[in-house]
Amino acid sequence: MAALWRVHTPQGERLARGPAASGPKELLAPDLGVDDLLRGEASLAGLDELPAHGTLTSDASVLAPLGGQDVWAAGVTYLRSRDARLEESDQLDAYDRVYDAERPEIFFKAAADRVRGPGEPVGVRSDSEWDVPEPELGVVADATGSIVAYVIGNDVSSRSIEGENPLYLPQAKVYTGSCAIGPCLVPLAEAPPWYELEISLRVNRDGRAVFDDTVQVRELKRSPQELVSWLFAGMDFPVGVVLLTGTAIVPPSGFTLSPGDEVRIAIHGLGALENPVEQVGTTRERVRP
Ligand code: DO4
Ligand code: MG
């Protein structure tokens, strides 16, 4: 059951292969990158057949399993998410309509080089009062628009900024540390079908769980392939792309992430993604019109 890992070794960055549950074991060719496997020349489906180029030493650390893949995200794809947006916003209509509409909500989330990997901090904005992790199934599409792997993603978001006005969505969703991906890419053939996956979230504060919840991905309103086909309807992705498929876990309204919290997202078969939380941006005086 091999998954694709990206690791930092004393000799530099390398791809590696190993089970999602127990980590990278074998290094792959030094000149092989994630882009090569998603561009269509070599394929992630043949991961098990790629020649090994050494074993991993204990001083290797795990990186976000991406090359040049940007991250996009779909929203309001679960009933729970639609209800949460209706609660936080007085622009009721937009969220109700997009849940039922033919065209899904899809937004740009993070440029490839801004994605945080396992163990790296995710951010809460200095000008936001209400922040949440959004644990999501990420699907990895190759250059042809076929889903070739699954991965865990965190669409960290500001609910106070999003709730104030839907036009503030880019500020609520795209900022330093707002996206974490990892720990590895699990090829489709190695993963359970998406509708059998279960997503768990736990937030620890001072070593104690302050929030945890679990949801079933089968509650997703649209299939991952449908979401990907909308993404490719207007854009090409020569080295593939990651699409987060939306959240169904929304902590109660009294909950906000705080710097120092530890976020753990697990999906059986895809491993676990853990990130501490830090404050990002510079505090500014709030000037209201
Ligand atoms: O418009 C809000 C985005 C909602 C979202 O990110 C989600 O449902 O996961
Ligand atoms: Mg989301």
Side-chain angles (χ1 to χ4, degrees):
M1 286 273 284
L4 182 73
W5 298 76
R6 205 171 127 248
V7 292
H8 183 78
T9 72
Q11 291 76 43
E13 285 177 19
R14 295 280 293 272
L15 292 186
R17 175 171 60 202
S22 56
K25 305 284 182 232
E26 292 173 319
L27 290 168
L28 301 175
D31 57 350
L32 185 71
V34 180
D35 295 3
D36 303 313
L37 296 171
L38 297 181
R39 206 181 264 131
E41 293 151 16
S43 145
L44 208 53
L47 179 60
D48 271 330
E49 279 77 57
L50 293 174
H53 282 253
T55 46
L56 249 86
T57 50
S58 56
D59 41 12
S61 54
V62 174
L63 304 169
L66 301 181
Q69 296 71 40
D70 291 336
V71 179
W72 288 69
V76 197
T77 50
Y78 291 88
L79 260 185
R80 179 68 190 98
S81 179
R82 184 202 65 178
D83 293 347
R85 303 317 133 199
L86 295 179
E87 279 156 32
E88 79 196 3
S89 157
D90 53 10
Q91 321 284 321
L92 306 182
D93 209 30
Y95 295 110
D96 236 354
R97 278 172 42 205
V98 82
Y99 182 75
D100 290 319
E102 188 188 356
R103 180 186 292 275
E105 176 194 10
I106 296 183
F107 54 91
F108 180 75
K109 179 65 187 171
D113 60 354
R114 288 192 168 262
V115 172
R116 299 285 162 96
E120 294 186 303
V122 292
V124 291
R125 293 178 61 121
S126 61
D127 60 350
S128 168
E129 297 96 48
W130 187 15
D131 304 280
V132 287
E134 291 192 0
E136 305 191 6
L137 170 66
V139 296
V140 183
D142 68 10
T144 70
S146 301
I147 296 175
V148 293
Y150 294 140
V151 67
I152 300 173
N154 190 349
D155 169 24
V156 192
S157 305
S158 163
R159 292 192 70 188
S160 45
I161 296 175
E162 176 185 280
E164 205 170 323
N165 187 321
L167 295 179
Y168 295 156
L169 194 75
Q171 296 173 74
K173 292 289 190 181
V174 184
Y175 56 87
T176 303
S178 69
C179 180
I181 297 286
C184 54
L185 304 188
V186 181
L188 224 52
E190 306 282 345
W194 65 269
Y195 46 83
E196 287 178 12
L197 296 172
E198 183 178 85
I199 305 179
S200 302
L201 166 69
R202 192 178 69 223
V203 180
N204 275 358
R205 188 167 299 156
D206 301 324
R208 233 173 27 88
V210 286
F211 179 76
D212 61 71
D213 200 3
T214 297
V215 292
Q216 309 301 321
V217 178
R218 64 169 174 271
E219 291 166 25
L220 193 56
K221 171 93 186 301
R222 309 164 189 264
S223 74
Q225 192 60 62
E226 179 193 342
L227 293 170
V228 167
S229 71
W230 279 104
L231 181 60
F232 277 72
M235 202 148 168
D236 59 338
F237 298 96
V239 293
V241 64
V242 178
L243 179 65
L244 303 181
T245 55
T247 191
I249 295 186
V250 184
S253 37
F255 175 91
T256 185
L257 275 182
S258 300
D261 286 355
E262 298 277 339
V263 180
R264 182 178 196 275
I265 302 170
I267 302 184
H268 189 69
L270 307 191
L273 173 63
E274 296 183 316
N275 301 92
V277 178
E278 68 174 4
Q279 182 169 303
V280 299
T282 45
T283 31
R284 60 177 296 281
E285 205 146 303
R286 212 164 162 144
V287 183
R288 284 203 158 266

